[in-house]
């Protein structure tokens, strides 16, 4: 069994209310995000690949463009723009590429990350 991980970065702004950070979090502010998408499987005997990285890159680029330099509070289907919802959002838009095992979203400047392992019913 192999796991293949591809990363991408995006810059985005958001505002969050109701946190212990108070007014600082409620103001519109931005972050540099790094996301990692991991696919698990056995390489195809014909190609030697778990997933074609070119196809994975194209799918990731579509998601990156949805998020990059955007105000996350206005992204349809995201919900409250938390790390939790960002990792779920990315998963849902990339689920078609293969056997996703996790999506992690990092805010390295804040030393924070969140990993989503998929809906409860899909876990192994």
């Amino acid at each position: 069994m192999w796991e293949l991980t591809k990363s991408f970065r995006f810059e985005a702004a958001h505002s969050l209310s109701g946190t212990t950070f108070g007014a600082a979090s409620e103001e519109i502010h931005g972050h540099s995000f790094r996301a990692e998408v991991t696919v698990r499987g056995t390489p195809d005997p014909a190609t030697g690949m778990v997933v074609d990285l070119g196809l994975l890159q194209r799918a990731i680029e579509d998601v990156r463009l949805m998020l990059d330099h955007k105000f996350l509070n206005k992204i349809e289907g995201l919900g409250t723009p938390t790390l939790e919802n960002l990792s779920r959002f990315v998963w849902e838009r990339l689920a078609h590429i293969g056997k996703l095992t996790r999506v992690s979203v990092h805010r390295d400047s804040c030393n924070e990350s969140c990993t989503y392992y998929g809906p409860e019913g899909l876990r192994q």
Side-chain angles (χ1 to χ4, degrees), residues 40 91 99-101 115-124:
R40 176 181 288 174
W91 174 290
K99 179 64 175 150
L100 283 180
T101 56
T115 300
Y116 182 64
Y117 295 95
E120 285 290 329
L122 296 181
R123 284 201 208 156
Q124 295 183 10

Side-chain angles (χ1 to χ4, degrees), residues 34-78:
R34 177 173 53 89
E36 296 179 337
V37 178
T38 302
V39 180
R40 176 181 288 174
T42 303
D44 181 293
T47 65
M49 297 182 282
V50 172
V51 66
D52 182 322
L53 284 172
L55 295 176
L56 179 57
Q57 178 61 39
R58 284 187 218 154
I60 284 174
E61 184 62 11
D62 290 342
V63 175
R64 191 190 70 77
L65 289 173
M66 291 175 163
L67 301 171
D68 192 39
H69 288 86
K70 301 293 192 293
F71 181 50
L72 298 176
N73 295 65
K74 292 186 176 184
I75 302 291
E76 188 174 330
L78 177 59

Side-chain angles (χ1 to χ4, degrees), residues 16 26 32-33 48 51 57 70 88 95 97 121:
L16 294 171
E26 292 175 6
S32 295
F33 294 91
V51 66
Q57 178 61 39
K70 301 293 192 293
R88 177 199 44 81
I97 61 168

